[in-house]
Amino acid sequence: MNTGYTFSKDFLWGTATASFQVEGAAWEDGRGASIWDTFCRTPGKVAFGHTGDIATDQYHRYAEDVQLMRELGLGAYRFSVAWPRVFPEGHGTQNPKGFDYYNRLVDALLENGIQPAVTLFHWDLPQALQDAGGWPVRETALHFEAYARAVFDALGDRVKSWITLNEPWCASLLSHLIGQHAPGLQDEQLAYQSIHHLNLAHGIAMKVFRDGGYDGQIGTTLNLSTPRPATSRDEDVLAADRAADRDSRMFLDPLFGRGYPERHLAAVPRVKMPIHSGDMELIATPIDFIGMNYYNERAVAFDPEAPEQFRSAPAYYPVTHMEWPITPQGLYRQLHWVHEQTGGIPIYITENGCAQDDQLSAEGTRVHDTGRIDYLRSHFQVCAKAIQDGVPLKGYFLWSLIDNFEWAWGYTRRFGIVYCDYTDLRRVPKDSYYYYREVIAGHEPF
Ligand code: FCB
């Protein structure tokens, strides 16, 4: 496919990272423990027992990383604030040195013409809040208020793009039902309580932002599941629609005042949602944009025996090093779906990218990651096509600037366009970095 489209000059090209995955300096300058520090030390949870102690050491090497961004011609850098770095106990006493770090990073970005886009919560919950119950308890969402306000107050004079939460699906279901992410629970009721409290925390942060009169754009980032029907038969189309209830509508619908999907709640009658009066209104505070993280699409088929009458269907696509199928056409479908569901507000792809088993060249100065370039190009093409169709896609953040701590996979999966040599933390731009530089410069039509 080649549409001949050139992205407009004001299309925002970015890269994304998250605090726990890149910062390191885990025990420096007063940072408190997060649930991921604990999870890394729980036997069997993270590959090889890898930790975030050093990560890519961005905490100390941010100036070098900002130079790499500048040479890339990057418009924006999405990073997250580590809640336990600024509130070591999650609430109460603030840690000024934590704020100092984010001030330095924001200033360095702005001095180099790069717009900061800040996520308030990308999964590193303070361990102290976990000890008090974590996301299954309401107090955690209530503590998000003081945290959000402190970050807006500290950085809001310079940061004009805010994302409240990253992928609440992961922070609730993957972490409390499937148990693959911290805190590693497998409890359905607690998982649904987490869904509501994460949504509530988002709503609370929205209110703080609006009431505080801060200047800038604020939204949230979801990883939506919009499965492809295995065939065009009506029952498969319905199955794919139902498959979006739990993993997408439980997060998206409340943001737009539609509440939780009744069809799904009826399918899990044993679950009680801990809704208090006023919560749903707060959660529905209008957002300025929706962020979507997209990596792949699965297919589902009708199955009368299954609890919600759908099952996964096999798909035959090449896969990345995560074993995730490469499905750019799914991004195209999802962009249209999100546009229909969100009433025309601006859309940003806040993450997209792929893991490859990258190898340094013999002389140690290059990484020929052709597979990643192919992946990116095919996804840029569908973005171009969607924009031509009228989808208000305003920007794209590539995951990731640099290889980093890939959660339960530790350092065994590489998503960066810059290679991180974990033996000495040296940065080596990969071929995809140079390719992305051309794309950003507008040299590549799609
Ligand atoms: C997303 C996460 C991000 C990164 C990518 C590969 O789910 O938001 O931190 O790990 O997956």
Side-chain angles (χ1 to χ4, degrees):
M1 179 175 62
N2 192 329
T3 59
Y5 180 82
T6 315
F7 285 88
S8 70
K9 287 260 173 292
D10 58 358
F11 189 82
L12 191 63
W13 293 105
T15 57
T17 62
S19 47
F20 193 82
Q21 296 178 274
V22 297
E23 282 180 3
W27 312 109
E28 264 175 68
D29 292 341
R31 173 186 173 281
S34 83
I35 57 173
W36 273 93
D37 295 303
T38 308
F39 201 60
C40 290
R41 288 164 177 77
T42 310
K45 295 299 184 190
V46 173
F48 301 103
H50 288 166
T51 71
D53 287 4
I54 300 173
T56 73
D57 197 31
Q58 191 167 80
Y59 190 79
H60 297 113
R61 294 168 199 250
Y62 69 91
E64 184 183 347
D65 288 348
V66 171
Q67 284 318 305
L68 284 165
M69 297 181 217
R70 181 198 174 102
E71 283 156 30
L72 195 54
L74 205 66
Y77 179 51
R78 174 178 176 231
F79 65 91
S80 73
V81 172
W83 188 345
R85 202 179 279 290
V86 296
F87 281 89
E89 299 293 313
H91 64 106
T93 313
Q94 296 186 20
N95 176 30
K97 288 191 170 162
F99 287 104
D100 290 347
Y101 169 65
Y102 296 109
N103 274 315
R104 290 196 295 276
L105 175 59
V106 165
D107 288 344
L109 289 166
L110 292 173
E111 280 158 21
N112 287 283
I114 302 157
Q115 197 179 304
V118 178
T119 307
L120 291 177
F121 180 70
H122 199 131
W123 307 351
D124 40 2
L125 185 74
Q127 180 61 39
L129 294 185
Q130 185 62 38
D131 296 341
W135 286 114
V137 303
R138 191 173 174 89
E139 283 66 33
T140 301
L142 302 182
H143 288 315
F144 202 64
E145 177 173 351
Y147 165 61
R149 181 174 296 115
V151 178
F152 295 146
D153 283 344
L155 307 178
D157 57 334
R158 286 152 296 153
V159 173
K160 303 297 168 196
S161 300
W162 296 96
I163 292 166
T164 55
L165 307 181
N166 180 71
E167 300 188 356
W169 180 90
C170 290
S172 55
L173 294 166
L174 190 61
S175 307
H176 296 81
L177 180 67
I178 303 167
Q180 237 172 54
H181 277 190
L185 304 181
Q186 288 180 294
D187 183 309
E188 190 179 50
Q189 177 56 35
L190 296 184
Y192 279 76
Q193 287 173 206
S194 305
I195 294 178
H196 183 66
H197 294 139
L198 279 151
N199 287 338
L200 180 62
H202 158 79
I204 287 173
M206 288 300 305
K207 182 163 163 48
V208 171
F209 192 82
R210 298 293 187 223
D211 289 356
Y214 301 96
D215 163 44
Q217 304 284 304
I218 185 166
T220 192
T221 279
L222 303 179
N223 55 322
L224 296 162
S225 171
T226 48
R228 175 174 61 80
T231 73
S232 56
R233 282 202 301 269
D234 286 351
E235 66 255 38
D236 286 341
V237 173
L238 177 63
D241 192 59
R242 290 201 67 167
D245 282 355
R246 186 192 72 173
D247 296 342
S248 295
R249 294 194 180 91
M250 287 294 286
F251 303 92
L252 189 66
D253 283 5
L255 298 178
F256 292 88
R258 300 191 284 268
Y260 292 116
E262 289 298 334
R263 183 173 58 177
H264 177 64
L265 293 184
V268 286
R270 55 199 177 273
V271 159
K272 300 270 165 295
M273 294 303 286
I275 305 172
H276 289 202
S277 108
D279 287 1
M280 299 316 284
E281 289 74 16
L282 212 50
I283 298 170
T285 307
I287 49 180
D288 298 316
F289 64 86
I290 185 81
M292 53 182 264
N293 291 352
Y294 179 87
Y295 289 94
N296 60 66
E297 178 196 63
R298 65 193 176 109
V300 301
F302 177 65
D303 181 352
E305 306 296 313
E308 291 183 75
Q309 303 198 322
F310 69 84
R311 64 172 166 81
S312 287
Y316 304 95
Y317 295 102
V319 294
T320 67
H321 198 206
M322 297 297 281
E323 304 285 323
W324 294 348
I326 300 174
T327 53
Q329 65 283 8
L331 174 58
Y332 181 69
R333 276 191 276 274
Q334 190 169 105
L335 280 165
H336 273 280
W337 189 80
V338 169
H339 180 41
E340 281 159 24
Q341 300 288 314
T342 56
I345 62 171
I347 300 173
Y348 287 87
I349 294 174
T350 39
E351 287 180 26
N352 174 244
C354 80
Q356 276 209 171
D357 189 12
D358 298 311
Q359 306 293 334
L360 272 178
S361 63
E363 62 287 5
T365 52
R366 294 300 294 257
V367 176
H368 300 303
D369 56 339
T370 329
R372 179 172 291 105
I373 294 173
D374 288 347
Y375 179 100
L376 294 173
R377 183 185 287 113
S378 63
H379 287 73
F380 296 152
Q381 280 170 342
V382 300
C383 289
K385 191 157 179 271
I387 293 170
Q388 284 177 310
D389 297 343
V391 172
L393 176 63
K394 302 295 180 196
Y396 172 98
F397 291 79
L398 196 160
W399 185 274
S400 179
L401 172 71
I402 183 167
D403 297 334
N404 58 55
F405 175 83
E406 181 45 37
W407 309 112
W409 294 92
Y411 297 98
T412 66
R413 293 295 179 275
R414 294 180 178 273
F415 274 90
I417 53 171
V418 173
Y419 184 90
C420 182
D421 184 339
Y422 292 114
T423 62
D424 56 7
L425 299 169
R426 191 166 58 100
R427 276 84 165 121
V428 180
K430 303 180 190 176
D431 287 357
S432 56
Y433 171 96
Y434 298 108
Y435 164 70
Y436 196 38
R437 192 170 67 177
E438 294 298 302
V439 172
I440 295 172
H443 296 159
E444 175 108 355
F446 292 93

Coordinates of all heavy atoms in Angstrom, one line a residue, residues 217 252 256 258 286-291 334-348 389-394:
Q217 N -3.5 20.7 27.6 CA -4.4 19.6 27.2 C -4.2 18.4 28.1 O -3.1 18.1 28.5 CB -4.0 19.2 25.8 CG -4.0 20.3 24.8 CD -5.3 20.7 24.3 OE1 -6.1 19.8 23.9 NE2 -5.7 21.9 24.5
L252 N -13.4 2.8 28.4 CA -13.7 3.9 27.5 C -15.1 4.5 27.8 O -15.3 5.7 27.8 CB -13.7 3.4 26.1 CG -13.8 4.4 25.0 CD1 -12.6 5.4 25.0 CD2 -13.9 3.8 23.6
F256 N -17.0 8.8 28.7 CA -17.9 9.5 27.8 C -19.4 9.5 28.3 O -20.3 9.7 27.5 CB -17.8 9.0 26.3 CG -16.4 9.3 25.8 CD1 -15.4 8.4 26.0 CD2 -16.2 10.5 25.2 CE1 -14.1 8.8 25.5 CE2 -14.9 10.9 24.7 CZ -13.9 10.0 24.9
R258 N -21.2 7.1 29.4 CA -22.0 5.9 29.1 C -22.0 4.9 30.2 O -22.7 3.9 30.1 CB -21.6 5.3 27.8 CG -21.6 6.3 26.6 CD -21.4 5.5 25.3 NE -20.0 5.1 25.0 CZ -19.2 5.9 24.3 NH1 -19.5 7.1 23.9 NH2 -17.9 5.5 24.1
P286 N -15.1 15.9 30.8 CA -14.6 15.9 29.4 C -13.1 15.9 29.3 O -12.4 16.8 30.0 CB -15.3 17.1 28.7 CG -16.5 17.3 29.5 CD -16.1 17.0 31.0
I287 N -12.5 15.1 28.5 CA -11.1 15.1 28.2 C -10.8 15.8 26.9 O -11.7 16.0 26.1 CB -10.5 13.6 28.1 CG1 -11.4 12.7 27.2 CG2 -10.4 13.0 29.5 CD1 -10.9 11.3 27.1
D288 N -9.6 16.3 26.8 CA -9.2 17.1 25.5 C -8.8 16.2 24.4 O -8.9 16.6 23.2 CB -8.1 18.0 25.8 CG -8.5 19.0 26.9 OD1 -9.6 19.6 26.8 OD2 -7.7 19.3 27.8
F289 N -8.3 15.0 24.7 CA -7.9 14.0 23.7 C -7.9 12.6 24.2 O -8.0 12.5 25.5 CB -6.5 14.4 23.1 CG -5.4 14.2 24.2 CD1 -4.9 13.0 24.4 CD2 -5.1 15.3 25.0 CE1 -3.9 12.8 25.4 CE2 -4.1 15.1 26.0 CZ -3.5 13.9 26.2
I290 N -7.9 11.7 23.4 CA -7.8 10.3 23.9 C -6.5 9.7 23.3 O -6.1 9.9 22.2 CB -9.0 9.4 23.4 CG1 -8.9 8.0 24.0 CG2 -9.2 9.4 21.9 CD1 -9.4 7.9 25.4
G291 N -5.8 9.1 24.2 CA -4.5 8.4 23.8 C -4.8 6.9 23.7 O -5.4 6.3 24.5
Q334 N -9.0 0.1 14.5 CA -9.1 0.7 15.8 C -9.2 2.2 15.8 O -10.0 2.8 16.5 CB -8.0 0.2 16.7 CG -8.3 0.6 18.1 CD -7.4 -0.1 19.1 OE1 -6.5 0.6 19.7 NE2 -7.6 -1.3 19.4
L335 N -8.5 2.8 14.9 CA -8.5 4.3 14.8 C -9.9 4.7 14.4 O -10.5 5.7 15.0 CB -7.5 4.8 13.7 CG -6.1 4.9 14.2 CD1 -5.2 5.0 13.0 CD2 -5.9 6.1 15.1
H336 N -10.6 4.0 13.5 CA -11.9 4.4 13.1 C -12.9 4.1 14.2 O -13.8 4.9 14.5 CB -12.3 3.6 11.8 CG -12.0 4.3 10.6 ND1 -12.7 5.3 10.1 CD2 -10.9 4.2 9.8 CE1 -12.1 5.8 9.0 NE2 -11.0 5.1 8.8
W337 N -12.7 3.0 14.9 CA -13.6 2.7 16.0 C -13.5 3.7 17.2 O -14.5 4.2 17.7 CB -13.2 1.3 16.6 CG -14.2 0.7 17.6 CD1 -15.4 0.1 17.3 CD2 -14.1 0.7 19.0 NE1 -16.0 -0.3 18.5 CE2 -15.2 0.1 19.5 CE3 -13.1 1.2 19.9 CZ2 -15.4 -0.1 20.9 CZ3 -13.3 1.0 21.3 CH2 -14.4 0.4 21.8
V338 N -12.3 4.1 17.5 CA -12.1 5.1 18.6 C -12.7 6.4 18.1 O -13.4 7.1 18.9 CB -10.6 5.2 18.9 CG1 -10.3 6.4 19.8 CG2 -10.0 4.0 19.6
H339 N -12.5 6.7 16.9 CA -13.1 8.0 16.4 C -14.6 8.0 16.6 O -15.2 8.9 17.1 CB -12.7 8.2 15.0 CG -13.3 9.4 14.3 ND1 -13.3 10.6 15.0 CD2 -13.8 9.7 13.1 CE1 -13.8 11.6 14.2 NE2 -14.1 11.0 13.1
E340 N -15.3 6.9 16.2 CA -16.7 6.8 16.3 C -17.2 6.8 17.8 O -18.2 7.4 18.1 CB -17.2 5.4 15.8 CG -17.3 5.3 14.3 CD -17.3 3.8 13.9 OE1 -17.7 2.9 14.7 OE2 -16.9 3.6 12.7
Q341 N -16.4 6.2 18.7 CA -16.7 6.1 20.1 C -16.5 7.4 20.9 O -17.0 7.5 22.0 CB -16.0 5.0 20.8 CG -16.2 3.6 20.1 CD -17.5 3.1 20.4 OE1 -18.0 3.1 21.6 NE2 -18.2 2.6 19.4
T342 N -15.6 8.3 20.4 CA -15.2 9.4 21.2 C -15.7 10.8 20.7 O -15.1 11.8 21.1 CB -13.6 9.4 21.3 OG1 -13.1 9.4 20.0 CG2 -13.2 8.1 22.0
G343 N -16.6 10.8 19.8 CA -17.3 12.0 19.4 C -16.4 13.0 18.8 O -16.6 14.2 18.9
G344 N -15.3 12.6 18.1 CA -14.6 13.5 17.3 C -13.5 14.2 18.0 O -12.8 15.1 17.4
I345 N -13.2 13.9 19.2 CA -12.0 14.6 19.9 C -10.7 14.1 19.3 O -10.7 13.0 18.7 CB -12.0 14.3 21.4 CG1 -11.8 12.9 21.8 CG2 -13.3 14.9 22.1 CD1 -11.6 12.6 23.3
P346 N -9.7 14.9 19.4 CA -8.4 14.5 18.9 C -7.9 13.2 19.4 O -8.1 12.9 20.6 CB -7.4 15.7 19.3 CG -8.3 16.8 19.5 CD -9.6 16.3 20.0
I347 N -7.2 12.4 18.6 CA -6.7 11.1 19.0 C -5.1 11.2 18.8 O -4.6 11.8 17.9 CB -7.2 10.0 18.0 CG1 -8.7 10.0 18.1 CG2 -6.5 8.7 18.3 CD1 -9.3 9.0 17.0
Y348 N -4.5 10.6 19.8 CA -3.0 10.5 19.7 C -2.7 9.0 19.9 O -3.3 8.3 20.8 CB -2.3 11.2 20.8 CG -2.3 12.7 20.6 CD1 -3.4 13.5 21.1 CD2 -1.2 13.3 19.9 CE1 -3.4 14.9 20.8 CE2 -1.3 14.7 19.7 CZ -2.3 15.5 20.2 OH -2.3 16.8 19.9
D389 N -9.0 9.7 5.6 CA -10.4 9.4 5.8 C -11.1 10.4 6.7 O -12.4 10.3 6.8 CB -10.6 8.0 6.5 CG -10.1 6.8 5.7 OD1 -9.8 7.0 4.5 OD2 -9.9 5.8 6.4
G390 N -10.3 11.2 7.4 CA -11.0 12.2 8.3 C -10.9 11.9 9.8 O -11.4 12.6 10.6
V391 N -10.1 10.8 10.1 CA -9.9 10.5 11.6 C -8.9 11.6 12.1 O -7.9 11.9 11.6 CB -9.3 9.1 11.7 CG1 -8.9 8.9 13.2 CG2 -10.3 8.1 11.3
P392 N -9.3 12.2 13.3 CA -8.5 13.4 13.8 C -7.3 12.9 14.6 O -7.1 13.2 15.8 CB -9.5 14.1 14.7 CG -10.5 13.1 15.1 CD -10.6 12.0 14.0
L393 N -6.4 12.1 13.9 CA -5.2 11.7 14.5 C -4.2 12.8 14.5 O -3.8 13.2 13.4 CB -4.7 10.4 13.8 CG -3.4 9.9 14.2 CD1 -3.4 9.4 15.7 CD2 -2.9 8.7 13.3
K394 N -3.7 13.2 15.6 CA -2.9 14.4 15.7 C -1.4 14.1 16.0 O -0.6 15.0 15.9 CB -3.4 15.4 16.8 CG -4.8 15.8 16.6 CD -5.0 16.6 15.3 CE -6.4 17.0 15.1 NZ -6.7 17.5 13.8

